[in-house]
Amino acid sequence: MLLWTVIRRLIYSVILVVAVLVLNFLLIHLAPGDPADVIAGEMGGATEEVLASIRKAYGLDQPLYVQLWVYLKAAAGGDLGQSFFYNAPVIDLILDRVGATLLLVFTALGFAIVVGTTLGVIASRKPTGIVSNLVTVISVIGYSAPIFWTGIMLIIVFASLIPLFPISNMYDVTKSVGPFGYALDVAHHLVLPAFTLGIVYLAQYSRLTRASMLEVLGSDYIRTARAKGVSERKVYGRHALRNAVLPIITIAGLQFGGIVSGAVLVETVFNWPGLGTLAFDSILARDYPTILGILFFSAVIVIVANLITDLLYRVADPRIRMAK
Amino acid sequence: MTVLKVDNIVVDFATRRGNARVLDHVNLEVNEGEILGIVGESGCGKSMTALSIMGLVPSPPGNLTSGSIYLEGRDLVGLSKDEMREIRGNEIGMIFQEPMSSLNPVFTVGEQIAESVRLHENASQRAAWERAVEMLRAVGIPEAEVRAKSYPHQLSGGMRQRVMIAIALACNPRVLIADEPTTALDTTVQAQIFDLLEELQKSRGTAIVLITHDMGAVAQLADRVAVMYAGRIVETGTVEQVLTMPRHPYTEGLIACVPHLQPDPPEKREPLLEIPGVVPSLTELGDGCAFAPRCNRALATCTGRQPVLKTEGNGHATACWAVEAELENV
Ligand SMILES: Nc1ncnc2c1ncn2[C@@H]1O[C@H](COP(=O)(O)OP(=O)(O)OP(=O)(O)O)[C@@H](O)[C@H]1O
Ligand SMILES: [Mg+2]
């Protein structure tokens, strides 16, 4: 039954990916500006003759649907075209950067979920206590402070006032010695960007957990657990949290796209060498194939994440798992 | 021998409209292997009595102000949280009114029974699971091995209540408190659950406190019965005494509401009776008998002073000025 769900979801996902490709392709071609201009600009000359030969070389003289078909066919084979700006295959550029982005996104998400739910659970134990108020304050800040502002503030603080963490890049060649040293150095560089990206979601998850826990704690099966002699620690950690976490899985899955786009901002602010900085540079350079490739890739990431969320939710909630 | 003795407990709730005395000097005694019925209208404090025994009165706003609860002579009031946890689910089991929502939706029923066993006995995971299956069999669930792996949503209400009973009895408690165990179930299932309770009580010798609206169930199952009104016990005695010779006007009213329990049922079917008026607000109880405003036999004394339980010598006790006056005149 689970296998069927996976297969069905995979088919949907493929359809969705193709739709994303087509839509992005059309949108980019609706945008003003001639790619041939950009390519020519790189090369230095721009006579009408040169432009025409460029159009021919890149297939830009073909009708749009032919270009689309060619693009889709190539994409199916894993070829996302050639970057005008970097003069390298787009897929290589992306594969080079995607690891850094995923590292950032998952660290931020993990941080937000672990710390957020923990704070939420503690807050639910005393709905009017200090932690509970702290959660409210954190979430107001997290909701209202824009990512780039938080990032810049952290840079200001850590660049000069307390130089504890590096504020730019992913590693430092002089410090990354050996695989272990490298990992440690990356982790060190990761702290500020991941915190900046995670704090927004931490705010949301802690509030959501608090509300969800309070609701679950009032339910009859919690009373049953207490009547069985279950300790308060287990009532919270096992009986209540297992149920309270369900909406958090849903929300985290839904927000995954938002986190990926938030990563673009964070990467730019902290100069993190991921897809975000690549996207930023390609947009400035009007490097259409690269932009298309990144859009496509981030769509795939989000779709895969939603698929995983769906499966996780099934594992966590037997009522959904059993449903046809 | 007395297994459970509730001794003069008082439970107060702090509410916005002042202090509500939810239980007012409640006394109960449950003997070994006996079924004690507690009846009374909604809001009279039946569930709160049960929660007090379990040490689960929500606090705040609730508070057990005074009194003692003895389980085999040991006072539970004032035990530490850990000591009380040892007792819950182990020496006193409890089942609730809402079988649909009383089981945790994310664990299998087997896990939920086994958890209780592992909490109170030094059992291995496997032994606990085997006990769970055995308990499911004992409460009459077919294909217990398979059903143990089911989640609550896969079971009917009656089945879930059986699972609740299995959880409550898994550690062989001295006392089982059943708080309206059948209210949410349909009639045929109600009868099955009552039969099951009766059978388990006979085979295991567990004393049962059966809280119910159902006078018929009390007549069928209980040995003794306590009638509650507005946080007090107004009449208590054997089922025979209370149902065939009700003294308190409130008890008379309750019995009149159930046609087939009346001493001499009317020939013609009459419309169902009900006691006129409503239960008074617990924050506004005066000095007199709480039932006086609804009572058809109220005397002048009734609004001035609270009647106390007076025993007739055979264990049948009533808290009513009118009854007291009548008995004195005989
Ligand atoms: N949190 C609370 N705050 C104030 N009063 C409360 C609270 N919980 C219960 N009560 C009061 O305690 C009284 C006794 O409630 P209890 O649940 O014991 O009634 P019951 O006899 O079990 O009724 P039912 O037949 O409906 O289950 C009620 O009058 C109710 O209003
Ligand atoms: Mg009740």
Side-chain angles (χ1 to χ4, degrees):
Chain A
M1 206 140 68
L2 191 65
L3 187 71
W4 257 116
T5 321
V6 175
I7 292 175
R8 208 173 51 213
R9 290 298 310 250
L10 279 178
I11 294 172
Y12 289 157
S13 304
V14 169
I15 297 172
L16 203 57
V17 165
V18 173
V20 164
L21 269 176
V22 172
L23 205 68
N24 283 338
F25 188 86
L26 295 179
L27 277 176
I28 288 274
H29 282 83
L30 279 180
D34 184 349
D37 259 344
V38 179
I39 303 168
E42 283 296 303
M43 294 161 120
T47 61
E48 197 44 50
E49 225 167 87
V50 174
L51 287 179
S53 74
I54 289 175
R55 288 201 187 97
K56 198 164 171 62
Y58 283 84
L60 296 170
D61 55 344
Q62 304 283 328
L64 197 56
Y65 66 88
V66 177
Q67 291 185 39
L68 175 60
W69 178 243
V70 170
Y71 182 74
L72 284 181
K73 253 198 334 205
D79 176 10
L80 294 175
Q82 187 83 3
S83 159
F84 306 154
F85 183 63
Y86 294 94
N87 205 11
V90 169
I91 188 78
D92 291 352
L93 289 174
I94 290 176
L95 289 181
D96 222 34
R97 304 288 198 102
V98 71
T101 296
L102 288 182
L103 179 66
L104 173 62
V105 164
F106 281 110
T107 310
L109 194 62
F111 162 69
I113 289 180
V114 171
V115 179
T117 43
T118 309
L119 280 180
V121 170
I122 298 174
S124 72
R125 295 196 71 145
K126 285 215 176 91
T128 51
I130 295 175
V131 182
S132 205
N133 291 331
L134 190 74
V135 164
T136 314
V137 172
I138 293 179
S139 29
V140 171
I141 296 175
Y143 273 121
S144 47
I147 286 186
F148 66 86
W149 182 84
T150 317
I152 291 168
M153 285 302 127
L154 287 176
I155 287 180
I156 293 173
V157 171
F158 283 95
S160 49
L161 299 180
I162 1 170
L164 264 182
F165 297 105
I167 55 163
S168 176
N169 249 317
M170 189 166 150
Y171 53 87
D172 186 339
V173 258
T174 60
K175 287 184 188 148
S176 294
V177 190
F180 185 68
Y182 175 73
L184 213 62
D185 192 35
V186 169
H188 196 204
H189 280 80
L190 188 56
V191 172
L192 291 186
F195 181 83
T196 308
L197 184 56
I199 191 75
V200 182
Y201 299 96
L202 185 149
Q204 300 184 15
Y205 299 154
S206 60
R207 251 191 107 64
L208 189 65
T209 307
R210 178 178 175 276
S212 179
M213 280 294 283
L214 285 177
E215 188 188 323
V216 168
L217 283 169
S219 54
D220 292 334
Y221 53 82
I222 295 299
R223 186 183 55 187
T224 305
R226 292 201 168 110
K228 286 203 290 196
V230 175
S231 67
E232 280 305 286
R233 200 169 53 81
K234 274 196 176 165
V235 164
Y236 278 80
R238 190 174 136 81
H239 288 262
L241 187 57
R242 262 301 302 274
N243 286 280
V245 85
L246 297 176
I248 295 160
I249 297 179
T250 317
I251 297 289
L254 285 177
Q255 287 180 334
F256 196 79
I259 302 187
V260 171
S261 56
V264 174
L265 272 174
V266 172
E267 286 182 8
T268 330
V269 171
F270 288 96
N271 203 15
W272 185 262
L275 285 181
T277 36
L278 182 65
F280 189 68
D281 294 340
S282 328
I283 290 170
L284 290 185
R286 289 219 252 160
D287 186 357
Y288 298 119
T290 311
I291 300 172
L292 263 182
I294 295 171
L295 286 177
F296 165 67
F297 229 81
S298 33
V300 170
I301 292 177
V302 171
I303 289 169
V304 169
N306 281 341
L307 189 64
I308 293 174
T309 313
D310 220 51
L311 296 180
L312 258 183
Y313 200 86
R314 270 159 207 280
V315 172
D317 190 345
R319 285 161 297 187
I320 307 262
R321 194 189 318 155
M322 310 282 171
K324 287 258 161 69
Chain B
M1 201 196 96
T2 307
V3 187
L4 180 73
K5 184 174 154 77
V6 173
D7 190 12
N8 256 321
I9 56 167
V10 176
V11 169
D12 290 314
F13 268 74
T15 70
R16 253 172 289 150
R17 280 184 286 137
N19 184 57
R21 183 144 288 189
V22 170
L23 294 183
D24 189 5
H25 296 91
V26 167
N27 288 290
L28 292 172
E29 256 179 58
V30 190
N31 297 320
E32 207 165 14
E34 173 185 72
I35 298 185
L36 170 75
I38 301 182
V39 294
E41 274 168 302
S42 202
C44 67
K46 305 183 297 293
S47 296
M48 214 44 80
T49 307
L51 292 179
S52 305
I53 298 169
M54 295 294 282
L56 287 177
V57 173
S59 164
N63 182 35
L64 198 146
T65 312
S66 68
S68 297
I69 293 162
Y70 298 100
L71 181 72
E72 300 188 301
R74 181 180 179 204
D75 191 354
L76 304 185
V77 177
L79 285 189
S80 74
K81 279 187 177 154
D82 285 331
E83 287 169 322
M84 202 55 220
R85 204 158 57 226
E86 272 304 301
I87 291 189
R88 281 201 289 271
N90 189 21
E91 304 197 31
I92 311 176
M94 181 160 178
I95 58 179
F96 300 94
Q97 185 174 340
E98 305 84 4
M100 301 311 278
S101 52
S102 289
L103 290 166
N104 196 321
V106 301
F107 300 118
T108 64
V109 297
E111 281 168 346
Q112 299 190 51
I113 304 170
E115 181 184 29
S116 196
V117 176
R118 281 173 58 86
L119 276 171
H120 299 293
E121 291 170 24
N122 212 348
S124 70
Q125 201 134 9
R126 222 181 112 193
W129 182 264
E130 271 160 18
R131 173 84 67 80
V133 174
E134 183 191 315
M135 285 310 301
L136 286 177
R137 221 174 272 134
V139 296
I141 289 187
E143 300 185 300
E145 290 90 351
V146 185
R147 277 297 168 208
K149 296 188 194 115
S150 301
Y151 287 92
H153 74 272
Q154 296 171 300
L155 304 178
S156 67
M159 284 294 163
R160 288 189 215 182
Q161 196 59 295
R162 285 174 192 261
V163 172
M164 283 299 292
I165 296 173
I167 292 176
L169 293 181
C171 297
N172 246 322
R174 307 289 298 146
V175 182
L176 172 70
I177 303 176
D179 187 357
E180 305 193 32
T182 61
T183 306
L185 304 172
D186 57 40
T187 342
T188 49
V189 183
Q190 284 187 3
Q192 291 167 9
I193 295 289
F194 282 135
D195 288 345
L196 173 66
L197 283 176
E198 193 170 25
E199 177 202 318
L200 288 171
Q201 189 267 336
K202 288 214 175 82
S203 61
R204 296 178 163 245
T206 320
I208 298 181
V209 178
L210 178 65
I211 297 172
T212 180
H213 287 290
D214 186 345
M215 286 302 236
V218 168
Q220 182 203 334
L221 296 177
D223 301 292
R224 287 186 312 113
V225 60
V227 181
M228 286 189 80
Y229 188 79
R232 298 185 130 237
I233 305 254
V234 295
E235 180 162 1
T236 169
T238 64
V239 167
E240 168 115 349
Q241 289 166 345
V242 175
L243 293 192
T244 55
M245 270 182 297
R247 295 277 191 221
H248 200 285
Y250 177 64
T251 317
E252 283 177 348
L254 277 184
I255 292 171
C257 295
V258 191
H260 68 269
L261 281 178
Q262 289 165 39
D264 34 17
E267 297 277 303
K268 278 196 305 186
R269 288 185 71 126
E270 286 171 34
L272 274 180
L273 292 173
E274 58 175 48
I275 306 172
V278 290
V279 186
S281 159
L282 293 177
T283 49
E284 287 154 12
L285 290 183
D287 299 327
C289 172
F291 188 62
R294 298 169 74 186
C295 184
N296 51 12
R297 286 162 61 189
L299 310 171
T301 25
C302 294
T303 47
R305 266 194 312 146
Q306 187 80 254
V308 289
L309 278 174
K310 280 268 160 61
T311 314
E312 288 170 41
N314 53 4
H316 191 178
T318 315
C320 175
W321 292 125
V323 172
E324 210 174 315
E326 189 183 294
L327 288 176
E328 267 164 20
N329 289 342
V330 173

